[in-house]
Amino acid sequence: MIFTKREIDEHYPLAERLRLEKAKSQNSVIYWINELVRNQVRGAEDVTSLIEVTKDLIAQVEALYAEKENSASDETTIQSNLPEAELLENQLVSLYEEKELLFSKTKTNSMEEVIALIQGMEEQLNSMYSEYET
């Protein structure tokens, strides 16, 4: 049974027409390819968007390779990073030495104990001030 467009518009509600259109489109190979792309590739809804996503990924990979080649060929960059790394290492060693000195001077084993010690001293100081004021 074949209906004219006017008969369909008059006799079938919009929701029913949309359901029929979807059922008709599901018979298409393109529909199922787009469904596969939509379910398998994040960021892609159909074949066209899959091509765009692929182009973007290729551009990103090419940019990464170009950046890697530039950094590998530029040995001055690598050599200039060595003093910075040594400086950071020296700073880190210095911080650990200060931490160990703090632990040995306060006879504590962790930063939590140091904080508790400082809070206890603060409470004692506050109580001394409150006793002095009264």
Side-chain angles (χ1 to χ4, degrees):
M1 183 188 265
I2 299 175
F3 297 103
T4 65
K5 179 158 179 57
R6 193 180 106 219
E7 289 173 331
I8 290 174
D9 289 340
E10 290 175 0
H11 299 292
Y12 290 102
L14 180 61
E16 182 67 18
R17 289 191 311 233
L18 292 175
R19 189 187 67 73
L20 289 172
E21 279 296 316
K22 183 175 180 182
K24 186 171 79 173
S25 70
Q26 286 178 348
N27 290 331
S28 167
V29 173
I30 294 172
Y31 172 83
W32 290 108
I33 291 172
N34 288 337
E35 270 302 302
L36 179 67
V37 168
R38 188 176 300 116
N39 291 329
Q40 298 292 325
V41 181
R42 185 173 27 147
E45 291 294 318
D46 55 9
V47 175
T48 307
S49 62
L50 176 63
I51 293 169
E52 292 301 317
V53 168
T54 305
K55 286 179 181 178
D56 289 343
L57 289 174
I58 290 170
Q60 290 175 10
V61 169
E62 287 174 348
L64 285 173
Y65 276 120
E67 183 180 314
K68 184 177 179 181
E69 287 175 5
N70 289 340
S71 66
S73 64
D74 188 13
E75 291 188 21
T76 58
T77 304
I78 295 171
Q79 291 174 355
S80 68
N81 287 340
L82 288 176
E84 291 176 14
E86 290 174 3
L87 179 64
L88 287 174
E89 183 180 359
N90 291 340
Q91 289 176 346
L92 187 61
V93 167
S94 175
L95 285 172
Y96 275 111
E97 288 171 354
E98 287 179 22
K99 179 181 167 186
E100 291 302 318
L101 180 65
L102 176 67
F103 288 165
S104 67
K105 292 283 186 182
T106 59
K107 296 180 181 147
T108 56
N109 294 319
S110 69
M111 292 307 287
E112 288 81 15
E113 291 179 13
V114 172
I115 292 169
L117 179 67
I118 293 171
Q119 288 173 340
M121 291 169 57
E122 183 181 21
E123 289 173 8
Q124 289 176 359
L125 188 61
N126 287 337
S127 70
M128 286 174 44
Y129 279 132
S130 64
E131 288 174 8
Y132 177 73
E133 290 175 354
T134 57

